[in-house]
């Protein structure tokens, strides 16, 4: 796909890409994108992030160990509460999550809801960064508390939009959180850091059946409240 020439175009064309071409991305280009992302805002300019970039043999070695851990059921307890259990999502998030799963697995990949092996087979692809030539692992320091996770999100969005400006695609992958002990064996992650996510980076394989998969977004009026007058009043404090 062609590079996005404006921020608006980058926002409109960014997606979670789950099928990549093996086309290499030069190290200098990865460094340039990370430098752009590093201009993201952070609380008190604390910049609590670190990024671990994997290519070639290093990426293959990590993938091998991650897949082994996945196949052996060695899922770890998360370092922070990332999301509810699968059966504990309240509405409207439960319905949105269900629609996402149906669109990805059933409609796009043709994997039935009761095909556990098929769904597991697709999930395994996370740990090869969906075939992307560049895999990144984003971590943040625990010291700034939960504010660091906000900063990490800002950095992540900056990286994804910068990638679109270069004609590349990304996929942020929370699945790596479940195997942080494996990551720590391969990467020099400081003890005071937590794993935020993995990130696949590369050229999208638009001919793959996942190339056309897109998720929907709720309309602005469903999540925004405008205040343009003194219509909202507050109860006076008791005397």
């Amino acid at each position: 796909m062609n590079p996005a020439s404006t921020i608006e175009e980058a926002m409109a064309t960014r997606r979670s890409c789950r099928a990549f071409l093996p086309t290499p991305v030069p190290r200098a280009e990865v460094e340039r994108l990370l430098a752009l992302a590093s201009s993201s805002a952070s609380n008190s300019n604390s910049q609590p992030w670190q990024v671990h970039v994997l290519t070639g043999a290093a990426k293959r070695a990590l993938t091998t160990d991650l897949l082994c851990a996945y196949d052996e059921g060695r899922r770890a307890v998360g370092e922070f509460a990332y999301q509810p259990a699968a059966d504990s999502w309240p509405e409207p998030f439960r319905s949105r999550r269900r629609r996402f799963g149906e669109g990805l697995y059933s409609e796009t990949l043709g994997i039935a809801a009761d095909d556990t092996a098929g769904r597991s087979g697709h999930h395994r692809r996370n740990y090869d960064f969906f075939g992307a030539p560049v895999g990144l692992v984003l971590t943040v320091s625990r010291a700034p508390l939960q504010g660091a996770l906000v900063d990490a999100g800002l950095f992540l969005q900056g990286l994804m939009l910068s990638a679109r400006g270069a004609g590349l695609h990304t996929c942020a992958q929370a699945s790596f959180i479940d195997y942080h002990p494996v990551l720590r064996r391969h990467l020099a992650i400081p003890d005071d850091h937590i794993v935020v996510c993995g990130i696949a980076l590369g050229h999208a394989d638009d001919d793959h059946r996942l190339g056309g998969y897109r998720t929907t977004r709720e309309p602005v009026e469903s999540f925004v409240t405008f205040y343009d007058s003194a219509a909202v009043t507050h109860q006076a404090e008791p005397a």
Side-chain angles (χ1 to χ4, degrees):
M1 184 177 288
N2 294 329
S5 58
T6 65
I7 292 177
E8 182 175 355
E9 185 180 359
M11 287 292 297
T13 60
R14 187 218 63 81
R15 60 186 174 89
S16 295
C17 181
R18 294 177 173 86
F20 289 87
L21 297 171
T23 309
V25 178
R27 175 170 174 167
E29 180 67 347
V30 177
E31 291 179 350
R32 187 182 73 83
L33 297 178
L34 291 170
L36 286 170
S38 73
S39 67
S40 300
S42 62
N43 182 26
S44 301
N45 197 34
S46 57
Q47 304 173 69
W49 48 69
Q50 284 198 2
V51 182
H52 306 265
V53 183
L54 297 113
T55 59
K59 176 176 168 286
R60 290 192 296 272
L62 176 61
T63 289
T64 296
D65 278 2
L66 286 169
L67 290 175
C68 182
Y70 177 79
D71 292 341
E72 293 177 356
R74 289 189 277 115
R75 182 177 180 177
V77 175
E79 297 181 288
F80 62 99
Y82 175 73
Q83 63 182 2
D87 59 352
S88 298
W89 287 73
E91 294 293 352
F93 316 114
R94 178 190 292 268
S95 294
R96 293 173 187 169
R97 189 170 186 262
R98 183 177 64 250
R99 287 197 298 270
F100 162 73
E102 290 171 350
L104 177 63
Y105 287 99
S106 300
E107 298 169 14
T108 304
L109 293 172
I111 301 173
D114 59 355
D115 184 355
T116 304
R119 293 192 168 219
S120 177
H122 172 72
H123 188 76
R124 287 178 94 256
R125 298 181 61 245
N126 273 282
Y127 304 111
D128 187 32
F129 298 91
F130 293 114
V134 181
L136 305 96
V137 174
L138 174 63
T139 72
V140 290
S141 172
R142 305 171 193 265
L145 305 183
Q146 294 187 52
L149 293 173
V150 176
D151 298 339
L154 293 168
F155 179 92
L156 180 60
Q157 182 79 321
L159 177 60
M160 293 189 290
L161 295 180
S162 297
R164 285 302 305 122
L168 300 171
H169 273 284
T170 56
C171 185
Q173 301 167 265
S175 55
F176 285 84
I177 295 172
D178 296 335
Y179 298 94
H180 58 89
V182 178
L183 298 178
R184 291 182 184 280
R185 289 200 297 271
H186 285 257
L187 310 174
I189 299 174
D191 290 342
D192 73 312
H193 273 233
I194 57 174
V195 175
V196 176
C197 66
I199 309 160
L201 172 68
H203 296 271
D205 182 357
D206 290 326
D207 292 330
H208 193 282
R209 55 183 166 177
L210 283 166
Y213 176 63
R214 301 291 186 275
T215 52
T216 60
R217 293 295 184 271
E218 298 297 315
V220 170
E221 58 267 23
S222 72
F223 62 85
V224 174
T225 303
F226 288 96
Y227 303 87
D228 57 6
S229 69
V232 178
T233 59
H234 298 277
Q235 186 175 4
E237 293 291 330

